[in-house]
């Protein structure tokens, strides 16, 4: 269940004995049925880098939105993946522009979607126009470290629950894992499908 305005996120509980430690968003997204104990990664950063819990510890169980990702590859096959932190086409502030779904606010340690929340039932679509000067791209890259790169006329942030994009030879990353040979990517959000213990 997604968080609603004015309500408390998640519920108090105990870390189950079958909970697994995850050092990345990719690991947490692999087994959405289990409770994840995050130790690193962009979702961990977006949650404030909480100290890792151990099975049996008192904790708060947070429902985190899951992105179901379908990738059409150049050979015609389709690859299915899950993501909890981000799905990015290109690199932020790169010459060819950037398109990324950001669930936890952070991508590569930069706060690209400062108003994003990983449990609100939507994901932030961050786009950067490719027709931006080198100087403006460099400034945006530096300011993204603190989330002060927006508002900016060349950077758009909107909330979506579904998204699709051609990859056009650009780099596709799903929770920081590069997917080679991608031709097109589509994403559908499933609210609250991953449980995280903090």
């Amino acid at each position: 269940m997604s968080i609603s305005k004015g309500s408390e996120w998640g519920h108090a509980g105990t870390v189950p004995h079958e909970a697994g430690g995850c050092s990345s968003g990719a690991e947490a997204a692999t087994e959405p049925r289990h409770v994840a104990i995050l130790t690193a990664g962009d979702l961990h950063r977006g949650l404030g880098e909480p100290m890792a819990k151990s099975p049996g510890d008192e904790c708060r169980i947070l429902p985190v939105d899951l992105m179901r990702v379908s990738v059409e590859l150049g050979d015609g096959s389709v690859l299915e993946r899950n993501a909890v932190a981000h799905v990015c086409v290109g690199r932020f502030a790169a010459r060819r522009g950037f398109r990324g779904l950001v669930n936890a606010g952070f991508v590569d340690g930069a706060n690209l979607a400062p108003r994003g929340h990983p449990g609100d039932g939507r994901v932030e679509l961050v786009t950067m126009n490719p027709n931006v000067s080198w100087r403006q791209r460099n400034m945006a890259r530096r300011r993204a470290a603190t989330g002060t790169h927006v508002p900016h006329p060349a950077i758009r942030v909107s909330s979506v629950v579904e998204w699709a994009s051609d990859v056009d030879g650009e780099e596709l990353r799903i929770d920081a894992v590069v997917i080679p040979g991608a031709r097109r990517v589509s994403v559908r959000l499933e609210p609250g499908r991953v449980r995280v213990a903090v």
Side-chain angles (χ1 to χ4, degrees):
M1 179 173 211
S2 300
I3 188 171
S4 57
K5 190 171 183 176
S7 67
E8 204 168 351
W9 186 29
H11 65 275
T14 303
V15 180
H17 289 286
E18 68 275 10
C22 300
S23 61
S24 68
E27 283 185 42
T30 301
E31 291 290 340
R33 296 182 308 272
H34 301 298
V35 173
I37 303 168
L38 298 171
T39 59
D42 286 321
L43 177 59
H44 182 248
R45 178 94 183 261
L47 294 174
E49 299 180 314
M51 290 191 59
K53 300 285 186 179
S54 298
D57 288 351
E58 289 185 5
C59 69
R60 188 147 199 91
I61 305 288
L62 305 177
V64 171
D65 301 333
L66 178 72
M67 292 178 276
R68 297 283 189 187
V69 186
S70 182
V71 181
E72 295 176 26
L73 300 174
D75 64 5
S77 62
V78 176
L79 183 68
E80 304 289 342
R81 288 284 188 270
N82 293 334
V84 292
H86 48 76
V87 177
C88 300
V89 178
R91 296 271 177 175
F92 184 71
R95 185 181 307 174
R96 292 188 67 182
F98 173 82
R99 301 173 306 286
L101 292 181
V102 185
N103 191 36
F106 289 85
V107 176
D108 299 331
N111 193 2
L112 293 192
R115 297 189 67 172
H117 189 290
D120 62 2
R122 59 184 186 244
V123 65
E124 309 313 310
L125 172 60
V126 180
T127 59
M128 183 173 214
N129 190 317
N131 300 321
V132 176
S133 70
W134 175 87
R135 182 176 168 278
Q136 287 289 314
R137 288 197 315 269
N138 198 36
M139 185 183 303
R141 185 182 294 112
R142 283 196 317 269
R143 294 183 71 183
T146 57
T148 56
H149 58 295
V150 287
H152 188 286
I155 302 170
R156 291 190 59 216
V157 181
S158 58
S159 297
V160 299
V161 294
E162 292 184 336
W163 177 74
S165 176
D166 290 330
V167 177
D168 293 329
E170 297 167 88
E171 181 182 75
L172 171 66
R173 290 175 298 142
I174 300 173
D175 279 352
V177 176
V178 175
I179 308 297
R183 185 171 60 193
R184 184 169 176 78
V185 59
S186 58
V187 180
R188 177 176 46 86
L189 195 70
E190 291 189 5
R193 278 281 282 122
V194 175
R195 295 177 300 150
V196 175
V198 297

